[in-house]
Amino acid sequence: MSHSSAPHDFRAGIDAGLHDTTLRANFRRAMDGLMTKRARQFEDPQEWTRLRALGQEIRQRALSKLPDLLERLEENCTRNGIRVHWAEDVAQANAIILEILQQRGITTVVKGKSMVSEEMHLNAFLGGHGIRALEADLGEYIIQLAGQMPCHIVMPAIHLNKTQIADLFADKLGTSPDGQDAEALTAIAREKLREEFRTAGAGISGVNFPVAETGTLCLIENEGNGRMVTTVPPVHIAVTGIEKVVENLEDVTPLLRLLTRSATGQPITTYVNMISGPRRGADQDGPQEVHLVLIDFGRSRVYADPETRQTLQCIRCAACMNHCPVYVRVGGHAYGGVYPGPIGKILTPQLNGLADYPDHPSASSLCNACVEVCPVKIPIAQMLVRLRNEKAGQGTGAVQDAGSGASRVEDAAWKAWAATYSTPLAYRVASAALTAAGNALPASAPLLKAWTSVRKKPRFAAQSLHRTLKEMGVADE
Amino acid sequence: MSDARANILRRLRAAPAGLTQPYSDWSVLRDRDWSIDDQVGLFRTMAESVNARVIDCVAPEDASRPLPSWDSVLAEDCAARGVRRLAVSAPLAAPLQALWTGSPNRPEIILTADRDTLFSVDAGLTTARGGIAETGSLILWPGPTEPRMLSLVPPRHIALLRTSRLHPTLWHAMTENGWASQMPTNVVLVTGPSKTSDIEQTLVFGVHGPKDLLILLINDH
């Protein structure tokens, strides 16, 4: 899977993002709004602390029994009439879905929002086989029309403003570009998609919480497209990562509270669907078939190491990106992968390899904003440091392409730094030399250039802090 | 594809134990000492905060409170909003037919699970198995007498909810009623009408689901 193409050029994406003033304004407005709404939901620090502890424990408990829970989920889903499929990689997962659709002669599918299906590039794959896959979540519908990737995992089209969307609709749907507000644009999408829901051969959705105890697929959403795609067409295909399973039905309740409040600042979403099978007995409607595709795509490798495994606790709320000073400035597309922002920085290189995403672990100031808002307490900053070490060949080698970023120059520089700081004489000589001659170093010196091309060169003080403190009479310990 | 299953499970089983906590403190969800009146008040506040309309009423035979009967509230609302074709849940069809017989200007009562008919009616009337005070949510439990589409595809959804069926939280509703041992094919929680803020974070109601949600709150507690 890795090395198939050139590594992702994060720096080019950053440049593009930073210089796009419309994009920056669109993101700034959206992230400010999301942060404010979330903060209102967690005003009681006691409740927040206890609730997120519970969320973390539930996710860790589920992960600690993951293989058993997956078997139990399969058993209970099967008992409920849900057909369970397993896929190790993208090709297997796409083939499973294609076979289901082709066997039934289905040529149009409607889709609810699913990040896993983005990992699969499912729409393009199905399109290549003559099957039309139509995104039904409004944001996803917009970016599908625009031929883009989501820039945010909850608000996929938040990088576009209403003028851009009105122009896009005018171009693709032939509607008027003038005087279209959010309400009018939403009404256009509603009209277009209603007929699609009514006539589609299958619906494809993600799953927020698959429940092992009851064989239930929980799906949360605000628009009703998730209900439409899982209710109206005769076939429903759900895709989800193997890491998402929870043990008991009651485990859903704290995770649901954490997810909706963290994601969009809502106490609950408009719809919480709990699907436990196709229509049964005297049921009057609902799909005749429900399929569940469990996908790995590198997750079992992330699982193999107890530290990196914490990445898999994620419930995809996006609070980390909403609060990230890097994400809000460069935008979601700069990251290249399916998952942007802090969670993307630790998940993408683990799923797809450090060689393909070499800059992801470094694109952070380790400010910890993401760690503070994570509802399941993933130590994102700690994981970023771990990935930096893995990339430099200083980790345990557990991560795919560990050591791919090893640099003799960097290695030598850190060794020299360590030696200087652990030998008093060397430290005194080096600091005296830099105090005397540091300001004479040209800003264009080879290793300094990358830093000074966008910043001022720092000025060395006339004497060291050590000496200044000594003169002030601070005791030297 | 059984190879994929075996390979995935083998890799997972080969991994060392990770972090885990055997027990958790659930009191943050469990501890709610709200009276039924508190719950009714909270339910209304929360439901209205997401644009649901909540109207207090009573069962037709109940003269103990000075509130209108739900069928008359329903008739009035349908008239006010131009609802001419009303699809209804099976257990409500006969009582409603009887209550409305002889009254002029009542909407047509439609009893069907037919997809295309449901896509064309003006409103759908369902029961609710319960409600959640903390979030203002309806608990819908569709099944043999109530199609799933009835609360989804018509542009308006009207639901009957008894105040005696309110629970403080979803956790209470689920654990006190033993959901885990009797999940039907579909349970859905509904909190307000369908909405989105995908465009510039502007809140718009009525994307794919109903644009309007009316809750007829039958006071029976």
Side-chain angles (χ1 to χ4, degrees), chain A residues 122-186:
Chain A
L122 179 62
N123 297 351
F125 172 81
L126 292 178
H129 289 86
I131 295 171
R132 198 166 65 101
L134 196 72
E135 295 289 348
D137 171 86
L138 179 59
E140 293 278 350
Y141 177 71
I142 291 166
I143 61 164
Q144 188 180 34
L145 283 179
Q148 295 176 348
M149 288 278 285
C151 64
H152 186 277
I153 64 173
V154 174
M155 303 254 161
I158 206 66
H159 59 297
L160 298 172
N161 59 37
K162 61 174 186 270
T163 311
Q164 292 169 310
I165 295 166
D167 289 344
L168 175 70
F169 280 13
D171 181 34
K172 304 284 180 182
L173 306 173
T175 50
S176 165
D178 303 319
Q180 303 282 20
D181 58 11
E183 191 157 348
L185 292 167
T186 303

Side-chain angles (χ1 to χ4, degrees), chain A residues 50 57 61 68 71 74 136 139 162 190 194 198 223 227 250 257 270 274 276 283 285 300 309, chain B residues 5 11 13 16 21 24 27 115-116 134 148 151 153 171 185 187 191 194-195 198 200 208-209:
Chain A
R50 291 163 66 202
E57 286 159 16
R61 203 152 45 230
D68 294 342
E71 285 186 317
E74 182 185 43
K162 61 174 186 270
R190 176 183 172 102
R194 242 175 116 71
R198 199 176 66 80
E223 297 184 0
R227 289 188 72 194
E250 69 171 341
R257 280 168 73 88
T270 305
M274 298 181 172
S276 309
D283 280 352
D285 63 354
S300 57
R309 184 181 301 173
Chain B
R5 179 184 189 280
R11 283 196 295 272
R13 291 204 196 285
Q21 285 271 350
S24 294
S27 59
R115 179 191 67 192
D116 292 351
E134 191 164 63
R148 285 162 67 164
S151 60
V153 299
W171 183 83
T185 52
V187 176
T191 313
S194 153
K195 64 179 181 292
D198 273 356
E200 289 192 1
H208 302 304

